[in-house]
Amino acid sequence: MEKIRQIIYYKHYFDEFFNQQTEKAKSKIDEVLFLISIVERVPKKFLDHMTGTTGLYEIRIELGSNIYRIFCCFDEGRVVVLFNGFQKKTQKTPKSEIEKAEKLKAEYFKQKNK
């Protein structure tokens, strides 16, 4: 199967989140990331723009009653850059997680454009 998008990680944030998860959760995260890399139109259920942000998206993973979110952005259309992830415990995404993701996104583009 041909990949439409390339998924990259910015620094160590995604890895740290990923490594803390159970094998089942890791497998589900891998599944969703794979889907994002091969599907032309990714369903909103898995990937959605974060309201109130500029170009920040969240990857949504559900496993039983557990909900996981991974922040990301697009770079040059076909590259998905992963930032921080967390397990969602409440209805609302914690502001601190969104702010962290926005900071990482700004850092990523600043470093890239040097």
Side-chain angles (χ1 to χ4, degrees):
M1 199 158 258
E2 202 181 323
K3 289 194 176 181
I4 298 173
R5 291 176 200 87
Q6 180 192 0
I7 295 179
I8 63 172
Y9 313 146
Y10 177 62
K11 292 191 170 171
H12 54 83
Y13 300 96
F14 171 75
D15 273 338
E16 280 177 8
F17 159 74
F18 187 79
N19 292 330
Q20 291 170 352
Q21 306 313 315
T22 63
E23 286 310 310
K24 231 178 166 167
K26 285 180 181 174
S27 163
K28 184 72 177 180
I29 292 166
D30 281 339
E31 214 176 278
V32 173
L33 292 178
F34 180 69
L35 178 92
I36 289 168
S37 72
I38 59 164
V39 176
E40 185 62 53
R41 288 184 169 282
V42 182
K44 261 186 185 297
K45 176 184 168 193
F46 299 115
L47 181 70
D48 200 12
H49 180 258
M50 290 291 298
T51 314
T53 68
T54 310
L56 194 61
Y57 288 79
E58 67 175 0
I59 296 171
R60 303 165 162 194
I61 294 132
E62 287 185 34
L63 182 64
S65 61
N66 294 324
I67 298 172
Y68 304 92
R69 295 288 189 259
I70 301 159
F71 290 107
C72 64
C73 74
F74 287 89
D75 187 5
E76 293 170 15
R78 296 284 178 200
V79 178
V80 180
V81 186
L82 303 184
F83 302 120
N84 50 320
F86 66 99
Q87 186 172 353
K88 198 168 174 186
K89 308 257 191 218
T90 58
Q91 214 35 52
K92 237 174 133 48
T93 299
K95 208 176 166 74
S96 60
E97 292 289 347
I98 297 171
E99 285 165 357
K100 182 176 177 183
E102 289 198 297
K103 201 182 107 211
L104 295 175
K105 180 176 154 250
E107 232 175 70
Y108 166 79
F109 283 107
K110 196 172 160 190
Q111 278 190 355
K112 185 188 171 224
N113 296 327
K114 269 187 182 167

